[in-house]
């Protein structure tokens, strides 16, 4: 397997930030991956995994070995009257997987349509959209330990999934490379329409389009209208997580800001809409130099200066700090960044 030295990552991150990998490898089999991890030539070097770079802030060059898994393949593992078990390699594109499963009449991923990135990254932050998370369909993941290539399977329960979180992102960050996912999907549709806006627009579709495929098309249309395409306006999706606050804190905020947008959680806490907080703090559509918060979706930080190559990861972090400080000053709420900063 080829290991490239001093490789540009500018085309491998959707914020289009300039950064380089000291060494870059793209193994396409488990055997090649394990051989790489056990190769004495790379012993002791830092090891960093990247996927399609849609949730990264590259704050500088990445030392050591950067691994971008290229393990491919989709397979039907088993069929039951109501469900199927499907396996996919880490290097497959997530949205292609969603399209493929729906083409086979297997339902469950349509709400997660058009989320950028590779399948291997999906468990890392438990991707979610429109009331569905990966955790709802994931059966298990296969992974290898980055330090010595030892293989291990994690059941869904063992992944410790939470809102945009997992053991791979939190407790055991930097320890595992996910190689394959197994997903349990439905043969008899059970559509997830908990999001009121999505449900209303779905109900407006002609009856023949009220299918899993029709729901995918609707989700894609909503996302295309709201979210900037990284190919034309570089971004990393939602730049901040929706902050979750206690019931008391929520009640106090509601008193001061009766229009506050929030979703009550089953445990009584409230998930505040970070986009609303950012908009109220005056950042929606506002630009400082080459960086700004998007005019249609205040939660998305956009890089207008990609063509010049002059915007750096440090600029992005400094701009994000200004936004965070405005929200803290106005609401007393601390926004947590969603994209991962590399190098760590
Ligand atoms: C326009 C836009 C819209 C988005 N919308 C959503 C959304 O609706 N919901 C949502 O949840 N996310 C969303 N995102 C974020 C992003 O799509 C997801 O986080 C995606 O899973 C990242 O995949 P990636 O391959 O690009 O990972 P990268 O950005 O390359 O990596 C992200 C993290 O995952 C780790 N990682 C990557 N691959 C592996 C692996 N095989 N094993 C272990 N760790 C790995 C990396 O080390 C890194 O820490 C959006 C992003 C954009 C640009």
């Amino acid at each position: 397997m080829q290991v490239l030295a001093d490789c540009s990552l500018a085309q491998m991150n959707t914020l289009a930030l300039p950064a380089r990998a000291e060494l870059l490898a793209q193994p396409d089999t488990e055997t090649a991956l394990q051989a790489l991890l056990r190769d004495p030539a790379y012993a002791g070097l830092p090891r960093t995994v990247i996927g399609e770079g849609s949730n990264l802030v590259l704050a500088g060059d990445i030392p050591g070995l950067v691994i971008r898994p290229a393990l491919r393949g989709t397979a039907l593992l088993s069929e039951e009257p109501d469900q199927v078990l499907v396996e996919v390699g880490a290097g497959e594109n997530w949205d292609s997987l969603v399209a493929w499963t729906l083409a086979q009449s297997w339902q469950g991923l349509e709400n997660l349509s058009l989320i950028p990135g590779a399948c291997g990254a999906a468990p890392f932050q438990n991707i979610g959209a429109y009331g569905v998370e990966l955790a709802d369909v994931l059966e298990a993941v296969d992974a290898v330990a980055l330090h010595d290539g030892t293989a291990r399977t994690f059941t869904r329960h063992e992944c410790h999934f939470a809102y945009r979180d997992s053991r791979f992102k939190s407790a055991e960050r930097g320890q595992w490379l996910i190689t394959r996912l197994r997903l349990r999907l439905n043969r008899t549709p059970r559509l997830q329409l908990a999001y009121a806006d999505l449900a209303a627009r779905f109900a407006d579709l002609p009856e023949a389009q009220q299918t899993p495929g029709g729901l995918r098309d609707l989700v894609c249309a909503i996302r295309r209208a709201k979210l900037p395409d990284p190919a034309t306006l570089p971004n990393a999706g939602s730049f901040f997580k929706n902050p979750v606050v206690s019931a008391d804190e929520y009640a106090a905020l509601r008193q001061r800001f009766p229009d506050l947008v929030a979703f009550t959680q089953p445990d009584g806490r409230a998930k505040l809409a970070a986009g609303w907080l950012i908009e109220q703090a005056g950042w929606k559509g506002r630009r400082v130099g080459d960086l700004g918060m998007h005019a249609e979706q205040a939660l998305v930080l956009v890089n207008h200066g990609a063509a010049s190559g002059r915007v750096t990861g440090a600029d992005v972090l400094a701009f994000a700090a200004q936004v965070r400080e405005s929200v803290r000053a106005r609401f007393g709420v601390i926004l947590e960044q969603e994209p991962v900063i590399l190098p760590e």
Side-chain angles (χ1 to χ4, degrees):
M1 187 196 23
Q2 222 188 350
V3 177
L4 302 171
D6 190 26
C7 191
S8 169
L9 299 174
Q11 308 287 326
M12 297 186 198
N13 74 101
T14 62
L15 266 169
L17 297 171
R20 305 187 80 78
E22 184 180 350
L23 297 166
L24 177 76
Q26 305 193 55
D28 58 5
T29 63
E30 275 87 346
T31 312
L33 171 63
Q34 285 176 315
L36 174 77
L37 295 173
R38 291 169 182 166
D39 188 331
Y42 309 118
L45 289 179
R47 292 160 178 207
T48 304
V49 186
I50 62 167
E52 296 184 16
S54 65
N55 213 20
L56 299 179
V57 177
L58 298 183
D61 294 342
I62 307 184
L65 191 54
V66 175
I67 308 170
R68 195 173 187 235
L71 295 124
R72 305 250 175 247
T74 46
L76 171 65
L77 295 188
S78 66
E79 274 185 276
E80 287 157 39
D82 228 27
Q83 294 194 314
V84 289
L85 187 63
V86 171
E87 188 173 79
V88 62
E92 294 288 347
N93 172 264
W94 174 262
D95 191 56
S96 303
L97 173 74
V98 177
W100 176 73
T101 56
L102 287 167
Q104 313 300 311
S105 301
W106 302 329
Q107 176 268 331
L109 302 184
E110 53 284 346
N111 296 46
L112 304 178
S113 292
L114 223 57
I115 297 180
C119 289
F124 182 81
Q125 73 153 359
N126 181 23
I127 56 168
Y130 299 103
V132 174
E133 294 181 328
L134 180 75
D136 298 330
V137 291
L138 187 111
E139 183 89 355
V141 307
D142 293 337
V144 295
L146 273 173
H147 75 282
D148 67 356
T150 305
R152 175 166 169 194
T153 294
F154 296 91
T155 62
R156 171 187 31 217
H157 178 70
E158 289 170 336
C159 290
H160 303 163
F161 286 129
Y163 166 59
R164 299 293 180 277
D165 202 16
S166 71
R167 75 188 293 159
F168 311 109
K169 185 170 182 181
S170 292
E172 290 167 34
R173 191 179 182 111
Q175 292 184 31
W176 299 98
L177 185 153
I178 295 160
T179 51
R180 292 195 187 270
L181 276 55
R182 283 181 287 289
L183 308 174
R184 192 163 289 284
L185 303 174
N186 300 318
R187 300 179 78 184
T188 315
R190 268 170 256 159
L191 300 185
Q192 175 51 260
L193 293 165
Y195 260 58
D197 182 42
L198 188 66
R201 293 182 63 166
F202 187 72
D204 282 346
L205 291 176
E207 211 172 310
Q209 288 172 31
Q210 294 190 9
T211 59
L215 185 52
R216 166 176 168 78
D217 292 345
L218 183 59
V219 168
C220 289
I222 295 172
R223 292 182 67 101
R224 285 198 179 103
K226 250 184 21 188
L227 292 170
D229 178 356
T232 48
L233 184 53
N235 71 87
S238 302
F239 202 83
F240 299 102
K241 289 169 124 180
N242 290 320
V244 179
V245 298
S246 70
D248 288 349
E249 202 178 336
Y250 175 52
L253 278 166
R254 268 305 284 272
Q255 276 222 318
R256 287 173 56 210
F257 306 99
D259 297 339
L260 182 69
V261 179
F263 312 94
T264 312
Q265 303 297 287
D267 61 7
R269 294 186 303 162
K271 193 191 271 181
L272 310 181
W276 187 87
L277 300 173
I278 293 166
E279 182 177 348
Q280 296 300 309
W283 286 97
K284 189 173 184 179
R286 184 162 155 206
R287 191 170 158 172
V288 178
D290 286 325
L291 293 167
M293 301 309 288
H294 193 240
E296 301 298 324
Q297 172 50 279
L299 197 46
V300 179
L301 185 155
V302 288
N303 175 5
H304 297 277
S308 68
R310 57 176 181 243
V311 177
T312 65
D315 297 331
V316 169
L317 297 178
F319 175 76
Q322 286 184 55
V323 176
R324 192 186 285 112
E325 175 49 26
S326 297
V327 169
R328 191 206 58 75
R330 187 169 162 114
F331 298 100
V333 173
I334 309 288
L335 292 180
E336 189 187 332
Q337 183 173 319
E338 186 186 299
V340 171
I341 302 170
L342 293 181
E344 293 194 287

